[in-house]
Amino acid sequence: MDKSVKYNFRWKDLGDIALGRPNLGPLTQVSVYRLMQYTMRDILEKRYGAVEANKIFFDAGFLAGTEFCKHTLDKSLQFNDFISDLTRKLLQFGIGVLRLESANLDNFSLMLTISEDLDCSGLPFYGVPVCDYDEGFISGIFHVYSGRTFEVKEIDCWGTGERTCRFSVKLVN
């Protein structure tokens, strides 16, 4: 193990929220989550540039998506049932409202939307998509589910003036 690494994420690191927050519980305001995310993005962009910050957010999202899939989703389900399970869990965790717009299972390419997205719904116009973390999160989920690699690209975003986030999901050969 690399001695310069101080921390390696494990699902158990999320802790016992019921024990630690007996009065406040598991919920917080979306603005508090975004405060952490966007201040971190600000510092990362200033320190490393926007391209590298985007990569870091994608990689963090990928790790989160892999862990989320491993610990909350039923990977043994057939595709349609897996999507239903994923839709329910994203709602349950308050992450967003998933809708599968199209799926070509012959080449495994999908188009999906996430409305009321935790990361960006309601943000002002930036002129660029901002959901690099979500791209990684979705990629990580489908990687764990299928054991294969996916390219996930956000094509519509609140940051570009749209009212939902739309993602293209394509299998990498």
Side-chain angles (χ1 to χ4, degrees):
M1 183 169 133
D2 183 354
K3 298 288 185 197
S4 66
V5 174
K6 294 182 180 179
Y7 182 79
N8 286 303
F9 178 80
R10 296 166 301 190
W11 189 258
K12 72 176 188 169
D13 293 338
L14 297 177
D16 185 337
I17 295 169
L19 175 66
R21 291 175 54 104
N23 297 303
L24 295 175
L27 303 178
T28 190
Q29 293 186 26
V30 172
S31 59
V32 173
Y33 167 82
R34 289 182 182 176
L35 180 65
M36 181 198 65
Q37 182 185 68
Y38 286 101
T39 56
M40 188 171 306
R41 177 179 287 280
D42 181 79
I43 298 302
L44 289 171
E45 283 190 15
K46 286 175 179 165
R47 191 166 293 169
Y48 303 111
V51 171
E52 190 61 27
N54 292 345
K55 288 178 188 176
I56 291 168
F57 269 90
F58 180 94
D59 290 347
F62 186 87
L63 176 59
T66 61
E67 293 297 314
F68 185 83
C69 188
K70 287 176 187 176
H71 295 279
T72 69
L73 298 170
D74 185 348
K75 299 168 295 304
S76 69
L77 296 172
Q78 293 297 313
F79 179 77
N80 288 337
D81 293 330
F82 178 77
I83 293 296
S84 293
D85 187 35
L86 175 58
T87 300
R88 280 189 303 276
K89 294 292 173 41
L90 292 180
L91 281 171
Q92 176 187 340
F93 283 85
I95 295 170
V97 181
L98 176 69
R99 184 173 150 251
L100 182 63
E101 289 188 335
S102 66
N104 180 335
L105 298 183
D106 292 333
N107 65 0
F108 212 101
S109 63
L110 313 172
M111 188 67 65
L112 54 90
T113 62
I114 302 178
S115 300
E116 299 185 45
D117 184 298
L118 181 61
D119 289 344
C120 78
S121 292
L123 287 182
F125 178 80
Y126 291 122
V128 294
V130 296
C131 296
D132 308 286
Y133 181 89
D134 292 352
E135 289 176 344
F137 188 76
I138 294 165
S139 182
I141 287 170
F142 284 108
H143 175 72
V144 171
Y145 175 65
S146 69
R148 300 169 86 182
T149 302
F150 291 86
E151 176 185 87
V152 177
K153 191 71 184 151
E154 184 178 34
I155 57 175
D156 290 323
C157 179
W158 271 83
T160 60
E162 302 301 325
R163 291 298 175 251
T164 190
C165 293
R166 181 169 283 107
F167 298 89
S168 168
V169 180
K170 295 181 180 175
L171 180 64
V172 175
N173 293 328

